[in-house]
């Protein structure tokens, strides 16, 4: 026979075992056990939340978009310059002007020509162009830079800017450039002095341009005394060299 205590323990264990599935059941099983009324209420909850959130969004006014910043003057200037350059076919104009140059550096500078920043600058550039045309086309005088190696000149200036020394060839390239600048300065000045009236006034922009040229006459003399035209160092370059070659 089973003792009463053992029967009581078996009943408690059985009741706990029958209650366990309800306690650990999944949500779907809980809704099924709770009955159809409760299931419908639970199913309506997500719909109520969605409808309430949609109504709140509809009732609140949309936030206005931030205003766009006004265009800067530089961007407007760039757009106007681009449109004007395209209208004037500026690239072909620069290419045509480069045909009349006598040095490589001059040709490169022609492709870098820009339009005037304002009306005053544009009128000034036009006056310079008319002055050169007057000098060459009307008066038959031409500024020459033949024999100038602009690549060697650029290399010499870059090396001296870095504190380096120049070879006799580079010194000669600088010497030829300085001589051409001196000849251009003398030609323009003498031409302006020989003209009168409107012709002289038309050459004033060109005269102002050559006045800023630094011909470095003392430096020309020093280079000519030490290096000949073929790029050889002269005996008179220094007393020590003169004694060694004697």
């Amino acid at each position: 026979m089973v003792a009463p205590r053992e029967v009581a323990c078996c009943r408690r264990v059985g009741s706990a075992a029958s209650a366990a599935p309800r306690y650990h059941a999944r949500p779907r099983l809980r809704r099924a056990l709770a009955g159809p009324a409760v299931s419908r209420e639970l199913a309506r909850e997500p719909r109520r939340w969605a409808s309430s959130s949609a109504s709140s969004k509809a009732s609140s006014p949309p936030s206005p978009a931030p205003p766009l910043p006004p265009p800067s003057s530089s961007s407007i200037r760039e757009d106007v310059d681009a449109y004007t350059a395209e209208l004037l076919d500026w690239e072909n104009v620069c290419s045509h002007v480069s045909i009349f140059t006598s040095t490589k550096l001059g040709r490169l500078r022609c492709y870098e020509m820009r339009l005037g920043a304002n009306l005053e600058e544009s009128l000034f550039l036009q006056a310079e162009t008319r002055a050169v045309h007057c000098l060459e086309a009307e008066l038959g005088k031409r500024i020459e830079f033949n024999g100038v190696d602009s690549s060697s000149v650029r290399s010499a200036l870059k090396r001296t800017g870095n504190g380096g020394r120049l070879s006799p060839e580079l010194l000669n390239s600088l010497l030829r450039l300085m001589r051409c600048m001196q000849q251009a300065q003398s030609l323009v000045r003498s031409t302006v002095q020989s003209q009168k009236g409107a012709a002289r006034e038309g050459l004033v922009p060109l005269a102002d341009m050559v006045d800023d040229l630094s011909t470095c006459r003392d430096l020309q003399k020093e280079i000519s005394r030490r290096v000949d035209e073929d790029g050889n160092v002269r005996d008179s370059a220094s007393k020590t060299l003169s004694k060694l070659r004697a």
Side-chain angles (χ1 to χ4, degrees):
M1 294 181 65
V2 181
R5 290 184 179 179
E6 294 177 355
V7 174
C9 289
C10 291
R11 289 178 179 175
R12 287 196 295 269
V13 172
S15 63
S18 62
R22 294 185 181 181
Y23 184 77
H24 296 287
R26 294 181 179 179
R28 185 180 297 176
L29 182 59
R30 291 206 306 269
R31 289 198 297 269
L33 295 175
V38 180
S39 304
R40 287 194 296 269
E41 292 297 326
L42 293 175
R44 290 196 190 100
E45 289 299 326
R47 297 179 184 176
R48 291 178 182 175
W49 180 84
S51 61
S52 62
S53 61
S55 61
S56 63
K57 290 182 179 179
S59 60
S60 60
S63 58
L68 296 176
S72 60
S73 58
S74 60
S75 62
I76 296 176
R77 169 69 184 174
E78 292 175 359
D79 293 340
V80 172
D81 287 347
Y83 175 76
T84 306
E86 183 180 0
L87 186 65
L88 297 176
D89 199 6
W90 189 249
E91 185 176 354
N92 287 334
V93 172
C94 296
S95 177
H96 181 70
V97 173
S98 66
I99 299 174
F100 301 95
T101 60
S102 57
T103 63
K104 181 179 179 180
L105 184 59
R107 287 191 292 273
L108 294 177
R109 291 300 300 271
C110 285
Y111 285 102
E112 296 175 357
M113 289 193 305
R114 295 291 180 266
L115 299 171
N118 47 50
L119 178 60
E120 182 180 357
E121 184 179 355
S122 299
L123 294 176
F124 177 76
L125 295 175
Q126 290 178 4
E128 287 184 344
T129 304
R130 287 195 298 268
V132 175
H133 181 268
C134 178
L135 179 70
E136 296 187 353
E138 298 178 9
L139 301 178
K141 298 182 180 182
R142 184 178 177 86
I143 299 176
E144 297 287 349
F145 284 93
N146 294 329
V148 176
D149 187 359
S150 57
S151 300
S152 298
V153 170
R154 177 180 289 184
S155 177
L157 295 176
K158 184 177 180 180
R159 184 173 298 183
T160 54
N162 295 330
R165 297 182 180 182
L166 301 182
S167 62
E169 291 79 10
L170 293 180
L171 287 172
N172 267 339
S173 65
L174 290 177
L175 180 61
R176 285 190 290 268
L177 176 63
M178 289 184 289
R179 284 177 176 174
C180 287
M181 290 192 300
Q182 183 177 348
Q183 293 173 3
Q185 195 177 62
S186 300
L187 175 64
V188 173
R189 286 177 176 176
S190 61
T191 304
V192 171
Q193 291 177 0
S194 63
Q195 300 299 314
K196 296 180 180 179
R200 184 170 184 173
E201 291 295 329
L203 293 173
V204 170
L206 189 58
D208 295 338
M209 185 186 301
V210 298
D211 284 341
D212 295 334
L213 296 178
S214 179
T215 57
C216 304
R217 296 188 179 185
D218 294 337
L219 181 58
Q220 291 185 45
K221 293 179 182 179
E222 292 296 326
I223 295 176
S224 300
R225 187 171 66 87
R226 290 173 169 78
V227 181
D228 60 16
E229 295 180 355
D230 296 329
N232 300 317
V233 179
R234 300 180 185 272
D235 296 343
S236 58
S238 65
K239 295 181 179 180
T240 303
L241 184 61
S242 178
K243 291 180 180 179
L244 291 175
R245 291 182 176 179

